[in-house]
Amino acid sequence: MDLQQIGVHHPKIKQLRSIQKNTAPNPKKLFIAEGLWAHNLLLNTDTHIDSFFWCPEAAYGNEAVKRSEEIAARAGRAYQISDKTLARISERDRPDGLISIAQLPLWDPIDVRFDRSALVMVADGMEIPGNLGTLVRTLDACNADCLVLTNRRTRLTHPKVFRASQGMILTMPVVEFDQPEDAVAWLQRNSFDVYLADANNAKNYRNYRYADRRTAFVLGSERYGIPKPWYEAGCESVSVPMLGSADSLNVSISAAVLLFEARAQKDHW
Amino acid sequence: MDLQQIGVHHPKIKQLRSIQKNTAPNPKKLFIAEGLWAHNLLLNTDTHIDSFFWCPEAAYGNEAVKRSEEIAARAGRAYQISDKTLARISERDRPDGLISIAQLPLWDPIDVRFDRSALVMVADGMEIPGNLGTLVRTLDACNADCLVLTNRRTRLTHPKVFRASQGMILTMPVVEFDQPEDAVAWLQRNSFDVYLADANNAKNYRNYRYADRRTAFVLGSERYGIPKPWYEAGCESVSVPMLGSADSLNVSISAAVLLFEARAQKDHW
């Protein structure tokens, strides 16, 4: 491959480092994909690759070389970089020569279509990127239709979201609403039964019927729970009983228990 | 309080640092508890506190001072340390003056008693301390009887186990067997139905009956799965279906789905 060689002062490298720093606004949802595993995921999905940076000296084997050609062919721009430049931009202990600026899919709520037994998770105010990523991976596993974010406090482009989701953030639809009220209205328009995951005095999650109807669960933030507008909208409350001495369940764990119960009922397991 | 003042060269401080380094054998299961939250947990359980180190200058408020007296009264030894010494031994950004060497409870398999509908989780070869801690927290939440470890690869005394378990490692019984065969024999002697959590072609976890009998699930390691001796013992296999495109579910998530299904059946939710 004959690629333009660039160094640390090139504007595209500066853009990459700015995305890594995660401080400037990022409306196009650009994220950094690094390494062979992540690049295989990019190739297996129709992710838009904005720019690809290739460092042949750092590559481990033939697979990396082969993939680099496929990625360069698909990327909007492709550059060659030196070992030294790679060391400056890599966030891994042992970089393997493949690093890209790619774009998360942008989902508009009006583009998401639901069948009559759809399954959706809402996360309101979730703060920990790893929890968000794990949630996306669980949504993928139980074949949910989409993730809805309200009061978003962590970026989907955070590298921990990508990692914890095992890359499923590239395929699971994610729609965002600034205000819970807008999400409520959208869910009601789409005829969803909405259940607030609330540990206090709520009805046991096994005592609802989820089959043959659309189901949305709402998870609150790790610290503050579910904000008022959700309660004011007259949603049901649901709880996963905590039988032990700890006062709460990891939010990813509650989500998994709720989602798999709904899936099991919907699919008549 | 009038406590002996000691510095970084005192043998007990050296012992504390050696436990933190986590390289020497640790047969008494000593671990480091740091901060007000952890010390409240020590006081609320009957955890043996080997040594307590108190740095009054670093304390944030009256609660810390009050707790320090209760802990000093219960600890085998109690010392005062300077701000400087605390800074050398603390693993927190903002230490709050309370740090102890404490002992995890030591459980002997023959001391664990089961009722006729007991629920147990076996983790074989689990490598990631955070996963082990989350598992303990989930076991607490679903009122499981104990955690069984075989081919243990991570220490229960790792600070991430304590944190991720929310301190439940102090109360959830944990028994260990070097060989899976010994765990199988113990489970069979105690009349457990043993189910291997296996993603490949196993029967759906909803298609077994767990009520009114003793249930043990076996989780394999994140990398290698469940080793052969478990299969050779003629255990059943069980799976949580993965309906998406990711090839595996986070091990803590599978565990939660299995455990809550068994608990729901046993308690007739």
Side-chain angles (χ1 to χ4, degrees), chain B residues 167-216:
Chain B
M168 294 304 113
I169 192 71
L170 299 179
T171 48
M172 177 56 56
V174 181
V175 302
E176 261 185 63
F177 295 93
D178 289 337
Q179 303 299 326
E181 290 84 345
D182 300 331
V184 169
W186 179 71
L187 289 167
Q188 287 175 342
R189 242 182 357 257
N190 283 288
S191 311
F192 273 87
D193 295 339
V194 183
Y195 299 94
L196 311 182
D198 182 340
N200 302 314
N201 302 316
K203 195 162 141 184
N204 187 308
Y205 71 107
R206 302 274 286 204
N207 293 332
Y208 286 104
R209 300 276 62 90
Y210 309 110
D212 300 319
R213 50 185 70 202
R214 294 178 174 172
T215 307

Side-chain angles (χ1 to χ4, degrees), chain B residues 44-59:
Chain B
N44 289 335
T45 55
D46 52 7
T47 308
H48 173 64
I49 306 169
D50 175 276
S51 305
F52 172 52
F53 309 90
W54 167 234
C55 173
E57 301 101 293

Side-chain angles (χ1 to χ4, degrees), chain A residues 160-171:
Chain A
K160 283 189 182 167
V161 174
F162 186 82
R163 263 202 306 275
S165 80
Q166 295 231 308
M168 295 304 112
I169 192 70
L170 299 178
T171 48

Side-chain angles (χ1 to χ4, degrees), chain B residues 8 21-22 39 42 44 52 63 102 135 138 147 169 179 184 196 205 222 253:
Chain B
V8 287
K21 264 191 229 141
N22 198 24
H39 282 82
L42 298 184
N44 289 335
F52 172 52
E63 194 190 344
L135 182 57
T138 307
L147 172 64
I169 192 71
Q179 303 299 326
V184 169
L196 311 182
Y205 71 107
E222 296 88 344
I253 299 289

Side-chain angles (χ1 to χ4, degrees), chain A residues 137 140-141 143 168 204 206 240-250 252-253 256-257 260-261 263-264 269, chain B residues 137 140-141 143 166 168 204 206 240-250 252-253 256-257 260-261 263-264 269:
Chain A
R137 185 176 172 192
D140 171 76
N143 196 24
M168 295 304 112
N204 187 308
R206 302 274 285 204
V240 177
M242 305 287 97
L243 306 171
S245 39
D247 54 353
S248 70
L249 198 57
N250 181 298
S252 322
I253 298 288
V257 171
F260 273 92
E261 176 63 25
R263 173 54 61 214
W269 288 352
Chain B
R137 185 176 172 193
D140 171 75
N143 197 21
Q166 294 232 309
M168 294 304 113
N204 187 308
R206 302 274 286 204
V240 177
M242 305 288 96
L243 306 171
S245 39
D247 54 353
S248 70
L249 198 56
N250 180 299
S252 321
I253 299 289
V257 172
F260 273 92
E261 176 63 24
R263 172 54 62 213
W269 290 353

Side-chain angles (χ1 to χ4, degrees), chain A residues 6 30 47 87 97 111 114 123 128 131 143 167 183 191 193 196 222 225 227 259:
Chain A
I6 63 170
L30 298 174
T47 308
D111 294 336
F114 300 108
I128 303 174
N131 283 349
N143 196 24
S191 309
D193 295 339
L196 312 181
E222 297 87 345
L259 287 165

